[in-house]
C-alpha cells in the first residue's frame, strides 16, 4: 500500500492548488464580526478542541477502509485525500445548520426523550457516521457485520500510517475541530459567546476570558489548556511534582508515582520475613525485628526443629537464645577477649542445635 502523501501545509483557494488539496480553516482568525458589526471572542476550550481533533483521524480511516473493502484497484491511501476533503465539507456544512435544525426539530417534537444531543463529540460522531454510510460499499457493509475484528485492525493500521506520514497533522485537525466546536456548542459550554462593539473592549475581555489558552506551568508538560480547565488539568497532569503518596521523603512526577511506590519507596508496605503476620513500612523492618525478636526466634526454631519440640519448649529455647544474645552484646561492650566471645557463640550454637536437650519426646 502506498502511504498517503503528507499534508502540504496551508491550502490555497479551491481551484488554484493541486487536485485533491483541501481548504482548511485558520486556527485563530482573530476577532469574528457578526451581525451588527459586533466582534466575537475567538477563544474556545483547548482540551475539547484537542479531543475532537483526535477523533477526526480514526473517523477518516474508517471511511477510507469501508469505501475500499473488496476493491482490487483502490486502497485506503489512494482515496484518503479526496475523502478527507469530502468529509470535512460534509461535517462542516452539517455543523453550520445544526443549531437551526435542532431548534426546528425541538419545536416539532415535544417529546423530551427525543431531544437533540448537546455533547459536541456525539454530534460530530453522528455527522461522520452519516457521511461514512454514504461511502460504504456492499462488501464494506458485509465485512462490518461479519469481520468486525479484521475491519478494526485495518482502521488502526491506517491511522498509524497517516500519523507516521503526517498526512493530516494534529494542528490542522484542531483548526477544523475549533470551527466544528463553535458551530455545535448550543449551550456555550466549550466556547466563549461574548461579543463587543470595538476591538479595544474585546482586547480587554480576551485578557480576562476564562477560555483563553495558557501553557501548563509544570516543567516538561507542553499542554495548552483554557484557564477555566487548568485546575482539572493540573489535578491529572503527569508532569506535576508531588510528595510521595506513601509519605516517604521523596518528591517525584505523578507519572512515576506508581512505579516508585511499588518498587523503591522506603515506606512501601511489607510483610515480616519471619512469618509473624505483621505488616509495616519497609523502613521499619529493623525496628520490628528488634521488638519481635523472641517471636522471630520461635519461628526460626519451629522451622529448624519442626515437630520435635512442643510450643513451650520452643519458647524456652527462644528465651535462652535471647539471653545469650544479650550476653554477647555485653561482652562486646565491655571489651571481653575474643576467646570468651567465641565461647559465647559456641554456647548459643549448642543450645539451638541440640535436639535431645530437655526433650522428653526423644
Amino acid at each position: 500500500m502506498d502511504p498517503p502523501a503528507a499534508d502540504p501545509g496551508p491550502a490555497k483557494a479551491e481551484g488554484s492548488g493541486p487536485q485533491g488539496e483541501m481548504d482548511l480553516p485558520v486556527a485563530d482568525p482573530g476577532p469574528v464580526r457578526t451581525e451588527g458589526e459586533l466582534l466575537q471572542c475567538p477563544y474556545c476550550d483547548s482540551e475539547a478542541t484537542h479531543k475532537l481533533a483526535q477523533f477526526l483521524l480514526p473517523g477518516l480511516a474508517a471511511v477510507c477502509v469501508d469505501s475500499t473493502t473488496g476493491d482490487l484497484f483502490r486502497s485506503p491511501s489512494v482515496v484518503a485525500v479526496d475523502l478527507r476533503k469530502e468529509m470535512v465539507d460534509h461535517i462542516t456544512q452539517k455543523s453550520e445548520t445544526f443549531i437551526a435544525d435542532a431548534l426546528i426539530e425541538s419545536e416539532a417534537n415535544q417529546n423530551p426523550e427525543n431531544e437533540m444531543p448537546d455533547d459536541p463529540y456525539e454530534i460530530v460522531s453522528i455527522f461522520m457516521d452519516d457521511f461514512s454510510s454514504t461511502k460504504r460499499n456492499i462488501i464494506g457493509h458485509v465485512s462490518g457485520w461479519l469481520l468486525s475484528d479484521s475491519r478494526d485492525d485495518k482502521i488502526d493500521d491506517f491511522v498509524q500510517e497517516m500519523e507516521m506520514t503526517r498526512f493530516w497533522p494534529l494542528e490542522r485537525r484542531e483548526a477544523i475541530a475549533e470551527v466544528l466546536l463553535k458551530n455545535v456548542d448550543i449551550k456555550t459550554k466549550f466556547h466563549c459567546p461574548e461579543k463587543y462593539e470595538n476591538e479595544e473592549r474585546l482586547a480587554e475581555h480576551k485578557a480576562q476570558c476564562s477560555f483563553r489558552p495558557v501553557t501548563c506551568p509544570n516543567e516538561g508538560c507542553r499542554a495548552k489548556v483554557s484557564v477555566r480547565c487548568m485546575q482539572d488539568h493540573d489535578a491529572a497532569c503527569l508532569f506535576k511534582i508531588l510528595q510521595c503518596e506513601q509519605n516517604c521523603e521523596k518528591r517525584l512526577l505523578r507519572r512515576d508515582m506508581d512505579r516508585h511506590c511499588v518498587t523503591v519507596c522506603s515506606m512501601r508496605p511489607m510483610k515480616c520475613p519471619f512469618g509473624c503476620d505483621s505488616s509495616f513500612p519497609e523502613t521499619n523492618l529493623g525496628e520490628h525485628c528488634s521488638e519481635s525478636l523472641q517471636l522471630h526466634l520461635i519461628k526460626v526454631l519451629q522451622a529448624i526443629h519442626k515437630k520435635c519440640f512442643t510450643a513451650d519448649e520452643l519458647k524456652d529455647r527462644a528465651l535462652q537464645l535471647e539471653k545469650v544474645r544479650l550476653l554477647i552484646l555485653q561482652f562486646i561492650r565491655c571489651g571481653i577477649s575474643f576467646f570468651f566471645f567465641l565461647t559465647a557463640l559456641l554456647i548459643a550454637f549448642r543450645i539451638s542445635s541440640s535436639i535431645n536437650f530437655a526433650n522428653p519426646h526423644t
Side-chain angles (χ1 to χ4, degrees):
M1 177 191 304
D2 294 331
D7 196 302
K12 300 177 183 178
E14 186 176 358
S16 62
Q19 184 176 2
E21 199 169 78
M22 174 176 57
D23 293 329
L24 294 179
V26 179
D28 185 5
V32 180
R33 289 208 173 268
T34 57
E35 63 280 357
E37 297 298 317
L38 294 177
L39 298 171
Q40 181 173 337
C41 177
Y43 293 144
C44 60
D45 190 320
S46 302
E47 286 197 338
T49 301
H50 180 75
K51 181 179 177 181
L52 192 57
Q54 290 181 313
F55 181 68
L56 293 176
L57 198 61
L60 175 62
V63 173
C64 294
V65 169
D66 288 342
S67 66
T68 57
T69 299
D71 193 326
L72 300 177
F73 303 101
R74 297 189 307 164
S75 65
S77 59
V78 171
V79 300
V81 172
D82 291 337
L83 288 181
R84 180 183 62 179
K85 182 181 188 315
E86 291 183 41
M87 186 184 78
V88 171
D89 289 344
H90 177 87
I91 60 179
T92 302
Q93 291 170 7
K94 283 281 188 179
S95 71
E96 289 171 350
T97 60
F98 171 74
I99 294 180
D101 293 342
L103 292 174
I104 294 173
E105 185 165 341
S106 63
E107 291 177 359
N109 190 348
Q110 299 300 324
N111 187 351
E113 295 182 358
N114 294 328
E115 290 183 357
M116 291 292 288
D118 58 7
D119 182 353
Y121 313 111
E122 183 179 353
I123 295 168
V124 174
S125 178
I126 293 173
F127 297 160
M128 295 183 68
D129 288 343
D130 179 58
F131 176 73
S132 178
S133 65
T134 65
K135 297 299 178 180
R136 192 175 298 156
N137 58 34
I138 298 298
I139 299 178
H141 278 287
V142 174
S143 66
W145 299 330
L146 302 179
L147 303 172
S148 58
D149 291 341
S150 175
R151 173 181 177 271
D152 291 343
D153 290 341
K154 291 180 180 178
I155 291 173
D156 292 341
D157 290 344
F158 192 50
V159 168
Q160 294 180 13
E161 182 180 340
M162 288 191 290
E163 288 176 339
M164 290 177 61
T165 59
R166 287 187 56 81
F167 169 71
W168 199 2
L170 178 61
E171 60 271 17
R172 305 200 69 197
R173 281 181 277 138
E174 287 180 339
I176 296 170
E178 184 174 316
V179 173
L180 297 174
L181 189 64
K182 291 177 179 178
N183 287 345
V184 303
D185 185 19
I186 300 177
K187 298 182 179 180
T188 63
K189 292 181 179 179
F190 302 99
H191 79 284
C192 180
E194 297 297 327
K195 302 172 185 177
Y196 295 91
E197 300 84 4
N198 55 62
E199 293 191 11
E200 182 178 355
R201 291 199 58 193
L202 176 62
E204 292 175 359
H205 162 77
K206 288 172 66 176
Q208 303 296 324
C209 181
S210 63
F211 284 95
R212 72 185 187 276
V214 291
T215 302
C216 175
N218 296 322
E219 186 177 355
C221 181
R222 295 179 293 178
K224 286 190 175 182
V225 298
S226 299
V227 171
R228 66 203 313 265
C229 300
M230 179 53 72
Q231 185 174 353
D232 291 338
H233 170 80
D234 189 68
C237 179
L238 297 178
F239 293 89
K240 176 82 171 179
I241 297 179
L242 303 170
Q243 183 67 40
C244 171
E245 293 176 352
Q246 297 177 151
N247 296 319
C248 81
E249 73 282 0
K250 297 291 185 181
R251 291 177 59 82
L252 59 155
L253 298 177
R254 177 180 276 116
R255 66 178 183 180
D256 298 330
M257 184 68 69
D258 289 344
R259 181 179 58 183
H260 165 79
C261 290
V262 171
T263 58
V264 298
C265 180
S266 62
M267 295 295 289
R268 70 180 187 266
M270 67 172 296
K271 289 187 176 294
C272 175
F274 292 96
C276 70
D277 299 328
S278 298
S279 296
F280 44 83
E282 186 181 73
T283 190
N284 294 343
L285 175 60
E287 180 182 351
H288 168 75
C289 290
S290 177
E291 293 175 351
S292 306
L293 179 60
Q294 183 177 342
L295 179 58
H296 293 167
L297 288 173
I298 292 174
K299 292 287 185 182
V300 172
L301 289 172
Q302 284 176 337
I304 294 174
H305 300 302
K306 301 190 184 227
K307 298 182 179 179
C308 296
F309 292 93
T310 65
D312 290 339
E313 291 168 342
L314 289 174
K315 186 174 181 180
D316 183 60
R317 280 176 172 262
L319 288 172
Q320 293 182 54
L321 287 173
E322 172 65 7
K323 291 179 180 178
V324 171
R325 183 186 75 89
L326 294 175
L327 182 61
I328 293 173
L329 291 177
Q330 187 174 359
F331 283 170
I332 295 174
R333 291 194 194 99
C334 296
I336 303 299
S337 69
F338 186 65
F339 171 77
F340 289 105
F341 179 69
L342 290 179
T343 302
L345 288 178
L346 180 59
I347 294 172
F349 175 76
R350 293 187 63 183
I351 290 175
S352 62
S353 63
S354 176
I355 301 299
N356 297 317
F357 176 79
N359 183 7
H361 301 296
T362 59

